[in-house]
């Protein structure tokens, strides 16, 4: 196919600025989807995405467009997530494109993730097309939003596209703008095959479906291909594109985006970021691939029933196919048996993975309290990474403990600046700098990761009345004064609730967790004692009274001694239960602990 008629681009923006709605409108305008079959968030094919109203996975689709100059064009569009926890999805998608539509909400203006995604696209040397969306909203200051784009991103006013994805305004002009501004792909069909794997998914019949962007050469069924980094060789079974349903093709050539299947049913044999080449005519040099992301949040994932462990392992392996930012390794817990220690980019990422495992693989799971990764320096000079609080060695062996530090960028209206700074300081934040961005402030703080992951974003939204937004990046490690906070149920440590915490916050967190567990754990037939311990001493304690059971209900009158005998027998039975009984802790208690 003529390369000059191909356009590969992504849609990037802050969360809720209208990326998925714009993608829907582009599909409708070209007739790629029938009006009768259309529904909102068409490319968001996960139930979770439609329920939450967010994009979790990037989606690739091919659109045919007939331009005003009479030529036919192929648009390969990739819709991406906006939440900071899924920034890796954006990075993966941008490597398969030559251009990016940078969408800005006309009522909200430039937000923190808008800036972050702009620089991400710039790092990948993409042509950026600025688009102001939602221009149909009444009482918006369009000139002000244009000014923000011009000041922050240094774009000309004439280069800004104005659209309403909801109403379809400005969409024909946007198509012509893409044809003019986004450069066509380079690469020769005759060269040695060189293709980038930018995503994958698992199909129960076809095995691993590999999403590819061809840089050089061509790929067709029957070819023998080799994964350059993994060293595996496969035969190509099927080649195709998404329109948006999967459509088989005879071949894919340089510059095109599509999928291939190779009858691979073992997920670990293929990796996102690998380079595909032909076995009989290989390319000399592999593509750079993707940087390995370091997870920021860790927790244990265990099946409620031990017999589900193999199903959990299979589910995790398949889920990691299209989410390389999610990492895992096997571990054993005293409380729950065999499971996995999993790493995530944030709490939303953790929630989504849990939901997907439970829905897609019909699993009932328990997640332990989330922790961040701490770095220990032992007295012998050895460095040790601690992801599980149970692995913390004795204090006598530790020279110092270091905690991960984030550089957090907060965008907010000027009138909320004082509240944002006050909140950030309560989170052990250290002020770095601030700058005016049009009529708003961009405030930079260094804040420990452990203070950011749980509720910081929600609190920023609260103090700024919804107008604040945050973006963050990992900065390094800094010395920390931490201790292990343990929760004991009837004198026995419950490792699911253990976590590392700053010594200044140990009492506050221990009291909050004990109070929450006292409310969440149902009454048992015997008294239950819940305690929090840190540094070898109990810092908080609560008792859950035994449930009452009327053992004398069957006695109608008669001698009182008969009732006394039953009461004494019940008392002895409760003592025995207390010694050997296990306390039932509902899943809600674990979920409540995550939010403390």
């Amino acid at each position: 196919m003529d390369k000059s008629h191909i356009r590969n681009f992504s849609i990037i923006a802050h969360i809720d600025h209208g990326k998925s709605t714009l993608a829907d409108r582009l599909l409708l305008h070209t007739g790629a989807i029938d009006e009768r079959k259309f529904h909102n968030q068409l490319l968001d094919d996960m139930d979770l995405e439609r329920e939450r109203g967010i994009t979790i996975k990037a989606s690739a689709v091919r659109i045919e467009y007939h331009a005003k100059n009479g030529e036919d064009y192929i648009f390969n569009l990739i819709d991406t997530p906006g939440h900071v926890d899924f920034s890796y999805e954006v990075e993966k998608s941008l490597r398969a494109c030559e251009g990016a539509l940078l969408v800005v909400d006309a009522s909200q203006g430039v937000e923190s993730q808008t800036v972050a995604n702009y620089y991400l696209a710039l790092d990948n040397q993409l042509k950026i097309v600025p688009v102001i969306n939602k221009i149909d909203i009444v009482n918006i200051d369009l000139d002000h939003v244009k000014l923000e784009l011009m000041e922050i991103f240094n774009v000309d006013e004439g280069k800004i596209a104005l659209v309403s994805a909801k109403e379809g305004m400005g969409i024909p002009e946007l198509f012509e703008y893409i044809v003019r501004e986004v450069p066509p792909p380079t690469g020769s069909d005759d060269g040695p095959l060189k293709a980038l794997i930018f995503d994958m998914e698992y199909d129960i019949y076809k095995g691993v479906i590999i999403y590819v962007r061809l840089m050089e050469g061509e790929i067709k069924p029957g070819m023998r291909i080799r994964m350059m980094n993994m060293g595996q060789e496969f035969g190509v079974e099927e080649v195709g594109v998404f329109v948006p349903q999967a459509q088989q093709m005879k071949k894919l050539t340089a510059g095109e985006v599509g999928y291939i299947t190779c009858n691979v049913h073992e997920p670990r044999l293929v990796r996102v970021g690998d380079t595909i080449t032909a076995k009989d005519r290989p390319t000399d040099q592999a593509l750079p691939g993707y940087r390995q992301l370091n997870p920021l949040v860790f927790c244990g994932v265990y099946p409620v029933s031990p017999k589900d462990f193999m199903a959990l392992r299979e589910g995790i392996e398949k889920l990691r196919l299209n989410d390389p930012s999610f990492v895992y390794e096997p571990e054993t817990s005293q409380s729950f048996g065999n499971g996995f220690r999993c790493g995530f980019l944030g709490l939303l990422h953790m929630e989504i993975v849990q939901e997907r495992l439970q829905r897609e693989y019909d699993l009932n799971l328990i997640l332990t309290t989330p922790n961040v990764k701490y770095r220990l320096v032992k007295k012998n000079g050895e460095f040790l990474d601690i992801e599980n609080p149970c692995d913390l060695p004795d204090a006598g062996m530790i020279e110092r403990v270091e905690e991960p530090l984030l550089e957090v960028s907060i965008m907010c209206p000027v009138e909320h600046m004082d509240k944002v700074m006050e909140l950030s300081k309560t989170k052990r934040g250290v002020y770095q700098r601030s700058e005016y961005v049009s009529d708003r402030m961009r405030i930079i703080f260094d804040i420990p990761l452990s203070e950011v992951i749980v509720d910081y974003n929600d609190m920023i939204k609260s103090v700024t009345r919804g107008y604040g937004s945050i973006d963050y990046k990992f900065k390094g490690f800094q010395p920390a004064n931490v201790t292990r906070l343990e929760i004991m149920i009837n004198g026995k440590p419950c490792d699911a609730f253990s976590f590392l915490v700053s010594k200044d916050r140990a009492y506050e967190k221990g009291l909050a967790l004990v109070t929450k567990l006292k409310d969440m754990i149902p009454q048992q037939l015997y008294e239950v004692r819940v305690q929090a311990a840190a540094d070898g001493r109990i810092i908080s304690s609560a008792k859950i009274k035994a449930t009452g059971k009327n053992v004398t209900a069957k006695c109608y009158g008669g001698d009182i001694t008969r009732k006394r005998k039953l009461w004494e027998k019940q008392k002895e039975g409760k003592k025995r239960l207390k010694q050997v009984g296990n306390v039932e802790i509902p899943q809600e208690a674990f979920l409540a602990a995550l939010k403390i």
Side-chain angles (χ1 to χ4, degrees):
M1 183 180 178
D2 185 358
K3 302 291 170 292
S4 65
H5 287 189
I6 298 176
R7 299 291 183 270
N8 299 319
F9 62 94
S10 282
I11 304 179
I12 56 175
H14 189 82
I15 191 167
D16 284 339
H17 279 211
K19 296 177 298 301
S20 296
T21 311
L22 181 58
D24 292 347
R25 182 57 63 182
L26 295 177
L27 289 171
L28 265 177
H29 183 76
T30 56
I33 187 73
D34 194 287
E35 285 272 8
R36 290 177 295 113
K37 296 178 182 176
F38 176 74
H39 57 78
N40 287 334
Q41 285 181 275
L42 187 78
L43 296 181
D44 294 343
D45 51 7
M46 258 191 269
D47 291 340
L48 262 177
E49 292 180 310
R50 285 196 284 273
E51 283 170 24
R52 290 178 178 246
I54 60 172
T55 302
I56 295 167
K57 283 293 302 166
S59 303
V61 64
R62 178 173 172 141
I63 304 171
E64 294 183 2
Y65 172 64
H66 184 73
K68 287 181 179 177
N69 61 11
E71 302 282 355
D72 289 323
Y73 289 86
I74 295 292
F75 286 1
N76 290 308
L77 153 68
I78 304 177
D79 179 28
T80 63
H83 197 281
V84 65
D85 277 18
F86 306 115
S87 57
Y88 191 63
E89 287 292 320
V90 181
E91 193 174 333
K92 284 195 311 180
S93 305
L94 293 179
R95 292 290 297 279
C97 303
E98 279 79 37
L101 304 188
L102 183 69
V103 180
V104 176
D105 186 328
S107 61
Q108 301 286 334
V110 176
E111 301 264 26
S112 56
Q113 274 300 106
T114 316
V115 178
N117 286 335
Y118 171 80
Y119 285 113
L120 209 54
L122 218 56
D123 289 343
N124 284 279
Q125 285 138 21
L126 301 190
K127 175 66 180 179
I128 296 167
V129 177
V131 179
I132 297 179
N133 189 22
K134 307 187 186 181
I135 60 170
D136 58 304
I137 298 175
V138 293
N139 300 327
I140 53 166
D141 189 348
L142 204 54
D143 291 333
H144 176 68
V145 181
K146 283 183 184 178
L147 191 63
E148 271 193 340
L149 280 167
M150 290 157 65
E151 287 180 352
I152 299 169
F153 304 131
N154 195 26
V155 296
D156 296 332
E157 185 178 355
K159 296 282 188 181
I160 300 172
L162 305 176
V163 303
S164 167
K166 185 180 176 184
E167 300 298 330
M169 296 162 61
I171 298 299
E173 292 80 7
L174 180 61
F175 270 106
E176 292 297 318
Y177 191 8
I178 292 168
V179 168
R180 282 196 317 272
E181 295 294 324
V182 176
T186 56
S188 165
D189 296 353
D190 302 324
L193 173 62
K194 186 188 285 189
L196 173 71
I197 301 176
F198 70 91
D199 208 350
M200 291 184 284
E201 63 176 290
Y202 191 85
D203 183 273
I204 194 167
Y205 302 110
K206 297 178 181 178
V208 180
I209 297 174
I210 303 169
Y211 291 49
V212 292
R213 158 68 203 272
L214 269 71
M215 304 298 181
E216 297 275 351
E218 61 179 30
I219 193 166
K220 49 191 174 185
M223 277 181 69
R224 291 292 296 176
I225 58 169
R226 184 162 62 87
M227 309 293 174
M228 293 188 73
N229 291 321
M230 297 296 285
Q232 301 287 336
E233 291 184 5
F234 304 106
V236 178
E237 301 271 328
E238 185 183 317
V239 168
V241 294
F242 294 101
V243 290
Q245 298 81 22
Q247 183 184 82
Q248 287 193 43
M249 304 283 284
K250 291 181 179 177
K251 65 179 179 179
L252 290 175
T253 58
E256 291 191 281
V257 175
Y259 73 88
I260 63 168
T261 64
C262 303
N263 200 23
V264 181
H265 288 271
E266 193 63 51
R268 68 189 72 158
L269 298 179
V270 194
R271 186 184 296 164
V272 167
D274 207 344
T275 303
I276 295 176
T277 191
K279 183 192 172 187
D280 54 356
R281 192 187 168 204
T283 185
D284 297 331
Q285 194 173 6
L287 295 162
Y290 297 111
R291 65 189 173 102
Q292 184 60 45
L293 277 194
N294 292 318
L296 300 175
V297 180
F298 295 85
C299 79
V301 178
Y302 300 91
V304 170
S305 172
K307 67 181 176 58
D308 289 337
F309 174 74
M310 294 306 289
L312 173 61
R313 187 171 75 175
E314 185 181 337
I316 281 178
E317 284 181 353
K318 288 176 181 175
L319 193 66
R320 195 178 186 275
L321 265 180
N322 57 11
D323 189 359
S325 56
F326 162 57
V327 300
Y328 66 94
E329 61 181 31
E331 78 165 6
T332 304
S333 160
Q334 295 173 351
S335 307
F336 306 115
N338 293 325
F340 294 91
R341 168 98 352 206
C342 299
F344 311 91
L345 295 181
L347 282 192
L348 177 64
H349 188 203
M350 185 180 81
E351 278 182 48
I352 295 298
V353 168
Q354 179 190 7
E355 285 272 355
R356 288 187 66 188
L357 285 170
Q358 291 184 159
R359 291 185 186 205
E360 295 172 24
Y361 303 99
D362 197 24
L363 294 165
N364 195 5
L365 303 175
I366 291 173
L367 269 69
T368 64
T369 309
N371 285 281
V372 302
K373 182 193 282 187
Y374 288 87
R375 190 165 70 184
L376 267 62
V377 182
K378 290 187 173 181
K379 289 194 171 173
N380 61 6
E382 182 186 343
F383 283 87
L384 186 66
D385 286 337
I386 296 290
E387 298 160 6
N388 189 339
C390 301
D391 297 336
L392 189 70
D394 295 333
M397 299 171 61
I398 301 171
E399 178 69 33
R400 70 177 185 276
V401 180
E402 296 177 345
E403 65 180 346
L405 186 69
L406 297 181
E407 182 181 277
V408 182
S409 166
I410 309 117
M411 294 270 281
C412 69
V414 177
E415 61 265 28
H416 299 302
M417 179 181 173
D418 291 343
K419 290 179 182 176
V420 167
M421 294 187 79
E422 192 178 319
L423 170 63
S424 301
K425 283 172 184 173
T426 64
K427 293 288 187 179
R428 296 193 288 138
V430 177
Y431 173 76
Q432 297 301 312
R433 65 186 183 278
S434 58
E435 55 197 33
Y436 279 96
V437 178
S438 192
D439 66 336
R440 289 189 291 171
M441 291 297 293
R442 185 161 176 253
I443 309 164
I444 313 292
F445 268 89
D446 284 353
I447 307 178
L449 171 62
S450 57
E451 301 285 349
V452 172
I453 59 168
V454 180
D455 58 357
Y456 182 70
N457 191 35
D458 294 342
M459 293 171 86
I460 287 288
K461 290 284 183 193
S462 178
V463 300
T464 61
R465 298 180 184 176
Y467 288 104
S469 61
I470 73 167
D471 181 40
Y472 55 78
K473 62 182 180 184
F474 178 66
K475 191 171 183 179
F477 285 87
Q478 69 172 11
N481 191 14
V482 298
T483 184
R484 181 169 61 210
L485 183 68
E486 283 191 316
I487 297 296
M488 296 192 289
I489 312 285
N490 279 348
K492 293 181 181 177
C494 182
D495 57 355
F497 291 116
S498 297
F499 59 97
L500 298 174
V501 63
S502 168
K503 285 188 179 180
D504 301 337
R505 298 283 179 89
Y507 173 74
E508 174 194 330
K509 293 272 179 88
L511 178 63
L513 197 47
V514 166
T515 306
K516 182 64 76 173
L517 289 175
K518 184 191 173 192
D519 295 337
M520 300 298 295
I521 295 175
Q523 285 182 304
Q524 317 283 318
L525 289 172
Y526 48 89
E527 185 181 82
V528 176
R529 197 168 70 256
V530 183
Q531 296 170 308
D535 290 330
R537 60 190 178 90
I538 304 296
I539 57 174
S540 182
S541 182
K543 288 181 180 177
I544 302 167
K545 290 183 178 178
T547 183
K549 184 180 179 184
N550 190 356
V551 292
T552 59
K554 59 188 176 184
C555 299
Y556 299 98
D559 192 356
I560 189 67
T561 55
R562 185 179 173 212
K563 290 186 178 181
R564 282 182 182 147
K565 279 181 186 175
L566 287 170
W567 287 331
E568 289 299 320
K569 190 176 178 184
Q570 183 187 34
K571 202 182 290 182
E572 289 299 316
K574 283 189 177 181
K575 269 187 195 171
R576 195 165 60 250
L577 271 174
K578 198 168 183 179
Q579 287 166 4
V580 300
N582 288 322
V583 181
E584 290 182 6
I585 303 175
Q587 174 72 0
E588 290 76 28
F590 292 97
L591 297 175
L594 298 184
K595 295 181 172 65
I596 291 178

